[in-house]
Amino acid sequence: MKCKFLMAFLMLFLVCYSGCLFKEGYPDILYKKYNVVKIINTTIENKSVIIVYQIKSKFGPLSNVEGLDVDSKRDIVAICYYVFKNTNADEVQIICFYPEDSNLVVLYKFKIDRRNAELAELFDISPDQIDTYALYKGSRLIALGQLWVNKGLAKKLGLLT
């Protein structure tokens, strides 16, 4: 009886302990760390497209990218990195909302294809290097994609002067 109890306890401990060893993966990390609320896989013009919906209500210091804060720039880099590294998507689109007056208003939209992400050297980094990449090369990734910022909302939030 003691042996069975000890064996059951040991098995339970190993299962719980091994769960702590596994790192979070895609898409869980996007939901937990980057305010992602929905991910849609679709096909547009015969291309595999992943659309990521995000809601932001807090902002960091201003970035050198017009209308984006540093945290949003990092989020764009991280979302593109995790989606491209973990899927065979041809294109990633990010639609970021801001809650205003009990409505969700689009703050920015970003889209980039796999080829341009490769040109921006996004695939040459590891997850630990996302913040550094965003700081030094994130503007290049954004320049190779298509960014639209809701200028009226960005001015109201102090993200544009």
Side-chain angles (χ1 to χ4, degrees):
M1 182 72 169
K2 270 186 170 178
C3 187
K4 286 184 181 182
F5 176 78
L6 184 59
M7 191 67 131
F9 177 79
L10 183 60
M11 291 294 284
L12 181 62
F13 174 78
L14 288 175
V15 168
C16 291
Y17 183 73
S18 66
C20 295
L21 294 178
F22 294 118
K23 290 187 176 182
E24 291 178 317
Y26 170 84
D28 296 330
I29 196 163
L30 296 181
Y31 289 116
K32 291 179 182 175
K33 266 184 105 171
Y34 299 103
N35 303 313
V36 169
V37 294
K38 188 173 187 178
I39 300 172
I40 296 177
N41 299 318
T42 188
T43 302
I44 301 173
E45 296 176 0
N46 294 326
K47 292 191 297 185
S48 171
V49 178
I50 295 186
I51 304 170
V52 178
Y53 295 92
Q54 178 186 40
I55 297 176
K56 290 192 68 145
S57 59
K58 294 180 184 174
F59 304 98
L62 292 180
S63 166
N64 60 349
V65 179
E66 193 173 334
L68 284 183
D69 64 305
V70 172
D71 293 342
S72 295
K73 188 175 164 184
R74 184 216 49 230
D75 290 354
I76 288 172
V77 168
I79 290 168
C80 291
Y81 173 82
Y82 282 108
V83 171
F84 280 131
K85 281 288 198 174
N86 292 286
T87 69
N88 62 353
D90 298 317
E91 182 178 286
V92 173
Q93 296 181 15
I94 303 167
I95 302 173
C96 179
F97 293 93
Y98 176 79
E100 182 181 53
D101 300 329
S102 1
N103 293 317
L104 290 176
V105 179
V106 176
L107 176 59
Y108 66 82
K109 295 179 184 180
F110 179 74
K111 139 172 120 168
I112 191 165
D113 62 24
R114 183 174 287 277
R115 182 178 165 277
N116 284 329
E118 287 176 20
L119 288 174
E121 301 172 347
L122 182 65
F123 303 136
D124 298 342
I125 65 171
S126 69
D128 297 337
Q129 298 170 315
I130 287 174
D131 290 341
T132 304
Y133 177 93
L135 182 64
Y136 294 109
K137 293 185 179 179
S139 296
R140 182 173 182 201
L141 178 80
I142 291 170
L144 288 168
Q146 296 174 5
L147 175 67
W148 174 85
V149 177
N150 181 338
K151 302 237 186 244
L153 181 58
K155 280 182 184 177
K156 190 174 182 181
L157 296 171
L159 299 172
L160 277 176
T161 54

